[in-house]
Amino acid sequence: MSRSPFLTGLGAWTLDLVRVGPAPHPRWPIATQAALAMALPVGLFTVVGQPLVGLQAAGGAFTALYLASATVRERAKALPLVGLLLLACAAAGTAAAADPTAVLLGLVAVTVVSSALAYAFALGPPGPVFFVLVYGMATTVTAAVDGARRVEPLAFLAAFAVGCLLAYAVAVAPLVVPGVRRRPARALRALLPGPRLSLDARLLLVRVVIVAVAGTVLSALWVDQERAYWTVCSGVAVIGLSAGRRTAMLRGSQRFVGTVVGAGLFALIALVSIPAPLLALVLAALQFLIELVVVRNYALALVFITPLVLLISTAAVPGADPGGLASERVVDTLLGAVLGMLTAFIHPRQDR
């Protein structure tokens, strides 16, 4: 007796959800760098008695995630541009944070512009999602409460810049080895070719525009406009860098499942009062695991990405409710993932 198409499809989806594939290249070097880039700002600022500043600087660690397959000399050339773009997104967030309408308009603008740059210059994984995330974190951390900012914008940007610099230092540290310095390196133009938008890139950018506008509007009207950035982040992450319907459907479902499990993990971690020095190690461990598995199984990576971002968000903004934050992120992720999946119908039926 033959199985129904539904059961066959469900079985294939389940297999894709749990399958751990091979990595295209060894991941432990970039995972180690990412962990150090996350731990250093949190640990150093904690040592001098400013743990909250360390958590605000932790966002700069995302600089070290880009161009993972490039040589160290190549990364030394290109990562400053990544750090500057991340800092620009953070600055846009702090500038808009005092006005709710400006936050929403800025979210659409930052999402579209950063995605256009990422696609036009073939930046590669992890794509534009962290630029959107940094903007959203900046609006949250420096938001106005009762007429006063939670954190002074310039102080936040200074901390974030320190995080970017530390991440860059970690990424280029292997240059102290003479053999590493002697390896050939491509020119910056070859590393980031462009600006040019291929057909697939144009389709991806159209999908990003739809997710940015629809996610922002729907969040503002029916969810919570302060959380709109998470909805848009989820949609942009689902879109990713691959043009194809099946890829989008798989990434969307994996993102939701991974976020639900990750939110549960965060809720368990939040039950324990983690001392500031230990928090640096926890964040580093999560970042290491993320980079180790993200190319092997996207859902599994989300299990670690979700508590990482939520730990930074709740610790950097005292008074946040961990349980409420976890459940809100599940709702936001579902909305963003659905939007990202629906926009996949823009692509031709056959994946490229």
Side-chain angles (χ1 to χ4, degrees), residues 319-338:
D321 174 29
L325 197 58
S327 60
E328 290 171 357
R329 288 302 176 257
V330 172
V331 174
D332 302 336
T333 298
L334 177 60
L335 177 57
V338 169

Side-chain angles (χ1 to χ4, degrees), residues 65-337:
L65 304 183
Y66 286 86
L67 299 159
S69 61
T71 67
V72 180
R73 286 180 58 198
E74 290 170 347
R75 300 185 82 206
K77 297 177 183 180
L79 286 184
L81 299 178
V82 175
L84 286 174
L85 184 54
L86 286 168
L87 185 59
C89 293
T94 60
D99 184 348
T101 301
V103 168
L104 296 177
L105 295 175
L107 175 59
V108 175
V110 166
T111 301
V112 173
V113 172
S114 63
S115 298
L117 290 173
Y119 295 143
F121 288 95
L123 181 59
V129 64
F130 283 108
F131 302 115
V132 184
L133 180 61
V134 162
Y135 170 85
M137 292 174 65
T139 62
T140 301
V141 173
T142 64
V145 179
D146 296 328
R149 296 290 190 110
R150 284 183 178 140
V151 175
E152 284 299 319
L154 290 180
F156 170 78
L157 291 176
F160 189 89
V162 170
C164 293
L165 289 173
L166 289 173
Y168 180 74
V170 169
V172 302
L175 287 176
V176 300
V177 180
V180 174
R181 293 199 301 272
R182 287 194 294 268
R183 292 174 186 168
R186 292 169 291 172
L188 187 60
R189 168 68 73 175
L191 282 170
L192 301 173
R196 176 182 174 274
L197 287 172
S198 64
L199 173 60
D200 284 346
R202 291 197 296 271
L203 291 175
L204 290 172
L205 185 57
V206 169
R207 291 176 61 192
V208 165
V209 173
I210 294 172
V211 163
V213 174
T216 300
V217 171
L218 292 176
S219 293
L221 293 178
W222 291 315
V223 185
D224 184 343
Q225 68 178 38
E226 293 183 1
R227 292 153 43 194
Y229 79 93
W230 191 276
T231 298
V232 175
C233 271
S234 298
V236 171
V238 168
I239 293 169
L241 303 171
S242 300
R245 294 187 185 183
R246 183 179 182 278
T247 300
M249 298 303 171
L250 181 60
R251 283 178 67 89
S253 57
Q254 286 185 336
R255 185 166 187 90
F256 179 67
V257 172
T259 299
V260 170
V261 178
L265 178 59
F266 165 73
L268 291 176
I269 296 174
L271 293 176
V272 182
S273 180
I274 303 176
L278 182 58
L279 183 58
L281 296 179
V282 171
L283 294 175
L286 289 170
Q287 188 68 76
F288 181 85
L289 291 170
I290 291 165
E291 293 309 309
L292 206 60
V293 304
V294 68
V295 297
R296 299 173 182 268
N297 185 291
Y298 186 57
L300 183 58
L302 264 297
V303 173
F304 304 120
I305 291 172
T306 303
L308 172 76
V309 176
L310 291 180
L311 281 170
I312 293 174
S313 301
T314 55
V317 182
D321 174 29
L325 197 58
S327 60
E328 290 171 357
R329 288 302 176 257
V330 172
V331 174
D332 302 336
T333 298
L334 177 60
L335 177 57

